[in-house]
Amino acid sequence: MATDALRSQVATKWQESFSRLNRDSPGISGLLNFSEAWTISIQFLYPRNIRVPQTQEKDIKKARPAFDLVSRCRRLPALLEHFLEDMRQNFNLIEKEIDEHMLRSHGEESAQVIQELVDCLMEWYQAWTPPQDLGTTIFSAYTLNFQTRLFSSLPASFSQAFKSLCASLLGPPDHDLGERGTITGWNTGAKPNVWKNFEVLGLIDRYESVIASVGYEFIESHVLNACKGQWEKPMLDELRSWMSDHVVPWMIHVYARNASSPEEARAMLQGVGSRFDFHINKTLCDLRTQEIFDIIIDFPESMGALKDLRDCMQRVDQRSNLVAALRKANRKRLLHPGADTKIILQQYVATIKCLRIIDPPGVLLFKVAEPIRRYLRDRPDTIRSIVANLVGDDDSGDSLVDENEPIQPLQHQEVEDYTDPQWEPEPIDAGPEFRTNKPSDIISTLVSIYDSRDLFVKELQVLLAQRLLAIQEGTDRVEKERRNVEILKIRFGEAALQVCEVMLKDMTDSKRSDTHIQSQKQSVLHPTIISRHFWPALDTSNLVMPGQFKILQEEYAKEFAVFKPDKRLRWLPHLGTVQVDIELEDRTVSADVAPLEAAIIELFADTAIWDLDELVKAVGSVNRSGVIKGLATWVDLGILKEEPENTFVLLEREEQRGSTVVRDPGRLGPAEPEPASVSSIQQQQAEQMRVYWMFIEGMLTNLGTLPLDRIQSMLKFAPGYDRTVEQLGAFMEAARREGLVVVRDGMWRLNK
């Protein structure tokens, strides 16, 4: 029963197929007609070898009825399957051509060879393309199958070679330029079928990333060539104009090839254009990040580069890269013992100004500045360098203070005012201490390197004392120093500079006292009389002024005692300048010398020959190297000569320089440096810290080992102690080097 039903079903199907193929033709004539049409269609579609001459060309007029019959019989899908199978079997012909061209591309210009390969592939593609009469379905299936087999046949090296071809279409530098300066290699439509062929073969979609990389590399090359080292003016707008003229026309072929109007092309390029504009920003940002240290050195001439970097940072998230690059450059080129402190401070100030242009909120500056500030805190002459700039005592001519910057009080830590309508939240990349380390003016930033501004005030006092003591008679330097102090009052406040006011008053009172004494008894001695309790510690010396100098001091002191009976003068004879006129038998020599040199030559007024050791004792057993230096001054002037060794003779009559024996400086070893007239703030602090050593020694004796912060907290109970933990750490380290204490894992103890 089931067998009969199956037979009936098969018979029905067969009858339907027969009727569809045979149509209304009698007998089997319809089948014969279909068979002939099928054969013609197969022969017409057969993918032939285009490199072999054909004896008979394909006749589409003859094949069209055959295709129509196959279509009416609904056998086109079967015809397509047959054709695709034939194409698979003959695709080795195309693979052979691919291999030949790729082999040539290794030895010749790869772009030209790949261009020929693309033309060759188009020939095969067009030769095997089915007629349009068969419909879009068959055409689409053929194109997909052809592209699939093509991509599977292309070797891995094709990608790089195809990239070279696309790069050549951008127009290398040696291409001719048209009237408007556009590259004729692509902008005027040369080789118009190249990009069309790419699209037909599916190469644009397949290698879209490769094509995009060509544009990116072209942009990178131009940015590096046009912008490297060019910091005077902003370059970003020029780069965008260049891209409009030299890259956008190329982009149209790639990304807007099907546009029918300029407006449509512009809309199609909007997304990819944004990516290419982003790449311009990123490339320029990377370049300026690499150059940032030199850009800061060249400020303000490098303002254009800073504006470019600011604009690029708004588009490209490279903030962390900039911070890392600048910190690395600072460590390598700035923060090392070979760099002068003044240079480090100048670079720090330039860094502040530059990073405020790039990032006004100051987050980048906060992250970059911390290593510089930490390094400057450890430098012993940082405070002196800053103070020297504040009072205009820097001889380098490069001031840290901007003359155009208004003078204003030092700013304290900022307090958040949430009621301010201009208030903005902190940037997302700001650190927890960001607000408390953001003073607005340069001087406040420099002073904030240290925890206490008292260090600066004391250094100001030391520097002012040195400058006042160096003032020559008859100059107006006192008024200049008074103007400086008035300016510093604005920054540090009235109370902080009261000692400086006392020093200036001493200079005025000293001149008034000297005028009165000179009116009572004329003297060539014009001392500066100061209040020793209000001036920084002055260096002492054992120098004894002999002869007439001693008489002048005694006479002047007697007149001063008459003028001010309640006060007495304590002489510091090693300070100041002496104008001497030395009358010899055949000449008179005038010179401005130090008191020690004047004392030495005065001794020769009574005795013409002196031994070196006797001279040292006669002037008060002062530093031996200082005496040698003073003797060398008179030897150079031809007043003394050394003969024999360590014995000096007065030359009443001038001798020829060739007969004067000049001491070899190397024979006595290096001379000791002459001490400054006023102790530096570091020296004073070191001496003051020694006073607190008994407190530290007592702590460590009774409590054993202590950390540095615990020692600091306990020292706060000592009278007058106002040092920072960093200063205490430096003192403890010095004590460790002297063998007084030892440290292990941050715990200090006495070295027993």
Side-chain angles (χ1 to χ4, degrees):
M1 196 69 173
T3 303
D4 293 340
L6 179 61
R7 288 177 179 176
S8 175
Q9 186 178 2
V10 171
T12 302
K13 292 291 186 182
W14 169 257
Q15 188 62 38
E16 290 177 357
S17 300
F18 180 81
S19 300
R20 186 173 64 252
L21 296 176
N22 203 44
R23 296 292 177 175
D24 298 330
S25 301
I28 62 172
S29 57
L31 291 175
L32 295 176
N33 292 336
F34 173 79
S35 178
E36 181 180 2
W38 179 267
T39 302
I40 293 173
S41 299
I42 291 297
Q43 292 176 351
F44 186 88
L45 291 176
Y46 188 79
R48 304 180 186 278
N49 187 352
I50 62 176
R51 303 306 178 200
V52 177
Q54 302 296 320
T55 58
Q56 184 178 0
E57 295 295 334
K58 294 181 178 180
D59 188 358
I60 187 60
K61 293 182 180 180
K62 182 180 179 181
R64 184 171 286 110
F67 286 127
D68 291 340
L69 179 58
V70 173
S71 178
R72 288 196 302 271
C73 294
R74 294 185 292 181
R75 298 298 294 169
L76 284 180
L79 180 63
L80 176 62
E81 292 180 6
H82 197 285
F83 166 62
L84 295 180
E85 177 62 23
D86 289 342
M87 189 173 69
R88 183 190 66 79
Q89 295 177 1
N90 289 276
F91 206 83
N92 63 307
L93 300 174
I94 298 178
E95 293 174 350
K96 182 179 179 182
E97 299 239 18
I98 293 174
D99 294 339
E100 292 175 356
H101 282 82
M102 293 306 301
L103 185 62
R104 286 173 49 203
S105 68
H106 297 299
E108 301 179 12
E109 185 65 31
S110 60
Q112 180 63 30
V113 174
I114 298 303
Q115 176 66 65
E116 295 174 1
L117 174 58
V118 171
D119 295 340
C120 174
L121 293 174
M122 279 301 300
E123 290 185 48
W124 287 98
Y125 175 83
Q126 292 172 349
W128 290 4
T129 301
Q132 295 290 339
D133 300 346
L134 298 182
T136 57
T137 302
I138 293 180
F139 179 80
S140 300
Y142 160 72
T143 301
L144 178 60
N145 191 275
F146 186 92
Q147 292 176 356
T148 302
R149 297 194 180 280
L150 172 63
F151 297 150
S152 64
S153 302
L154 292 175
S157 58
F158 177 80
S159 176
Q160 188 63 35
F162 181 69
K163 182 178 180 180
S164 301
L165 174 59
C166 294
S168 68
L169 297 177
L170 259 172
D174 58 350
H175 276 199
D176 295 332
L177 299 180
E179 295 181 359
R180 298 180 59 189
T182 54
I183 300 177
T184 58
W186 49 266
N187 198 36
T188 59
K191 299 181 181 179
N193 294 326
V194 172
W195 292 101
K196 184 64 176 177
N197 293 344
F198 290 169
E199 181 182 9
V200 170
L201 295 175
L203 297 176
I204 292 180
D205 294 333
R206 175 73 174 183
Y207 295 101
E208 182 179 3
S209 60
V210 174
I211 298 173
S213 69
V214 171
Y216 292 151
E217 292 177 6
F218 188 55
I219 289 174
E220 292 171 6
S221 176
H222 177 76
V223 170
L224 293 177
N225 292 333
C227 303
K228 189 174 184 179
Q230 303 298 319
W231 307 328
E232 297 81 7
K233 61 178 182 179
M235 302 293 292
L236 190 57
D237 290 339
E238 292 186 11
L239 291 175
R240 285 170 171 160
S241 297
W242 169 84
M243 188 179 80
S244 298
D245 296 336
H246 295 77
V247 181
V248 171
W250 173 81
M251 293 167 57
I252 292 176
H253 293 298
V254 183
Y255 302 102
R257 53 190 179 273
N258 297 322
S260 57
S261 65
E263 292 75 14
E264 185 179 358
R266 191 178 299 109
M268 296 176 69
L269 289 177
Q270 185 174 3
V272 67
S274 178
R275 294 203 304 270
F276 275 81
D277 181 76
F278 177 87
H279 195 71
I280 285 182
N281 281 266
K282 184 179 185 305
T283 304
L284 183 59
C285 186
D286 289 342
L287 175 62
R288 295 300 185 233
T289 298
Q290 296 172 7
E291 300 173 326
I292 185 61
F293 188 87
D294 296 308
I295 290 174
I296 293 174
I297 292 177
D298 203 44
F299 182 81
E301 284 75 14
S302 59
M303 181 65 73
L306 295 172
K307 292 180 179 178
D308 278 339
L309 198 51
R310 176 195 61 196
D311 295 340
C312 291
M313 285 288 185
Q314 295 176 357
R315 185 81 193 276
V316 184
D317 185 15
Q318 296 284 81
R319 294 166 64 89
S320 60
N321 293 350
L322 178 66
V323 171
L326 187 51
R327 291 181 65 153
K328 181 179 179 181
N330 285 338
R331 286 195 304 269
K332 182 178 180 181
R333 302 176 58 180
L334 187 67
L335 305 181
H336 55 79
D340 188 76
T341 301
K342 293 180 181 178
I343 300 298
I344 299 176
L345 286 170
Q346 290 167 5
Q347 183 72 358
Y348 178 39
V349 170
T351 301
I352 294 171
K353 296 177 180 178
C354 292
L355 292 185
R356 283 179 178 173
I357 294 173
I358 299 172
D359 177 43
V363 178
L364 298 183
L365 175 61
F366 173 77
K367 295 182 178 180
V368 170
E370 184 55 32
I372 304 177
R373 294 164 63 86
R374 186 168 57 248
Y375 185 81
L376 285 172
R377 277 196 295 269
D378 295 336
R379 281 244 174 170
D381 58 340
T382 298
I383 297 179
R384 176 168 289 266
S385 297
I386 297 174
V387 171
N389 272 271
L390 286 176
V391 299
D393 195 39
D394 190 359
D395 299 330
S396 65
D398 298 323
S399 177
L400 302 177
V401 183
D402 188 355
E403 295 180 356
N404 298 323
E405 188 174 81
I407 301 173
Q408 53 186 333
L410 296 179
Q411 298 182 9
H412 299 276
Q413 296 180 352
E414 293 187 356
V415 179
E416 295 281 0
D417 183 9
Y418 299 106
T419 62
D420 185 0
Q422 302 297 326
W423 178 87
E424 294 181 358
E426 296 179 2
I428 58 174
D429 56 346
E433 301 297 325
F434 170 64
R435 286 289 183 185
T436 59
N437 288 272
K438 198 180 61 173
S440 59
D441 64 298
I442 298 297
I443 298 303
S444 297
T445 303
L446 294 177
V447 173
S448 68
I449 292 175
Y450 296 89
D451 296 333
S452 173
R453 66 179 63 180
D454 293 341
L455 300 175
F456 288 89
V457 174
K458 292 179 180 178
E459 190 63 45
L460 280 170
Q461 296 170 4
V462 171
L463 188 58
L464 179 62
Q466 292 177 340
R467 291 160 65 93
L468 291 177
L469 292 177
I471 292 177
Q472 298 289 335
E473 183 71 21
T475 62
D476 59 349
R477 286 287 301 276
V478 174
E479 292 304 318
K480 180 181 178 182
E481 299 301 335
R482 196 181 305 277
R483 288 193 299 270
N484 284 336
V485 170
E486 292 299 324
I487 293 174
L488 292 172
K489 283 182 181 179
I490 300 176
R491 297 191 183 278
F492 291 92
E494 294 273 353
L497 296 178
Q498 285 182 350
V499 173
C500 295
E501 285 285 353
V502 173
M503 288 191 285
L504 289 171
K505 184 176 182 298
D506 281 351
M507 296 298 293
T508 303
D509 293 344
S510 175
K511 188 174 182 179
R512 186 182 303 112
S513 299
D514 183 65
T515 301
H516 174 79
I517 294 173
Q518 296 291 344
S519 66
Q520 299 300 316
K521 184 175 183 180
Q522 191 70 26
S523 174
V524 296
L525 184 62
H526 298 279
T528 299
I529 304 171
I530 63 175
S531 305
R532 65 186 182 94
H533 294 293
F534 292 92
W535 284 64
L538 300 178
D539 291 334
T540 58
S541 173
N542 296 326
L543 176 63
V544 176
M545 299 300 290
Q548 59 180 321
F549 298 114
K550 183 177 181 181
I551 296 173
L552 288 172
Q553 288 179 350
E554 292 175 350
E555 291 178 350
Y556 196 97
K558 185 181 299 183
E559 291 296 329
F560 181 81
V562 173
F563 178 53
K564 293 188 175 183
D566 58 332
K567 295 183 179 180
R568 295 292 181 270
L569 290 180
R570 177 174 175 268
W571 294 94
L572 298 175
H574 62 291
L575 304 180
T577 304
V578 181
Q579 299 176 356
V580 295
D581 293 326
I582 304 172
E583 296 181 357
L584 303 170
E585 292 182 3
D586 60 345
R587 66 198 186 281
T588 298
V589 179
S590 299
D592 292 344
V593 296
L596 176 59
E597 296 170 351
I600 291 173
I601 201 64
E602 174 67 17
L603 291 173
F604 282 88
D606 297 330
T607 305
I609 301 175
W610 280 89
D611 180 74
L612 177 59
D613 293 332
E614 294 177 352
L615 272 174
V616 173
K617 294 179 181 178
V619 295
S621 300
V622 298
N623 187 283
R624 181 184 178 90
S625 62
V627 176
I628 294 172
K629 183 179 178 181
L631 288 167
T633 299
W634 300 119
V635 171
D636 292 340
L637 292 175
I639 297 176
L640 300 179
K641 74 174 182 179
E642 183 183 13
E643 193 178 78
E645 183 178 331
N646 289 339
T647 300
F648 292 84
V649 180
L650 178 67
L651 298 176
E652 286 286 354
R653 292 187 174 276
E654 186 175 13
E655 294 184 357
Q656 295 182 357
R657 287 304 177 102
S659 63
T660 301
V661 180
V662 181
R663 175 179 299 279
D664 179 12
R667 183 164 58 83
L668 293 176
E672 299 178 18
E674 187 175 352
S677 60
V678 182
S679 300
S680 67
I681 190 66
Q682 287 81 12
Q683 294 172 332
Q684 296 179 37
Q685 290 176 351
E687 292 299 325
Q688 293 171 3
M689 280 299 297
R690 293 185 182 277
V691 176
Y692 299 108
W693 168 247
M694 63 177 65
F695 293 95
I696 299 173
E697 186 178 22
M699 294 178 204
L700 298 179
T701 301
N702 296 324
L703 302 177
T705 59
L706 291 174
L708 193 64
D709 56 351
R710 179 74 183 282
I711 298 175
Q712 172 75 358
S713 62
M714 296 179 70
L715 279 175
K716 292 294 178 93
F717 297 100
Y721 182 79
D722 59 351
R723 301 297 182 267
T724 65
V725 68
E726 290 81 7
Q727 293 171 330
L728 175 61
F731 176 75
M732 295 298 292
E733 183 63 26
R736 185 193 64 80
R737 290 194 296 267
E738 294 179 8
L740 299 177
V741 293
V742 294
V743 59
R744 183 175 181 181
D745 297 331
M747 302 296 290
W748 296 86
R749 63 177 177 83
L750 291 176
N751 187 14
K752 299 179 180 180

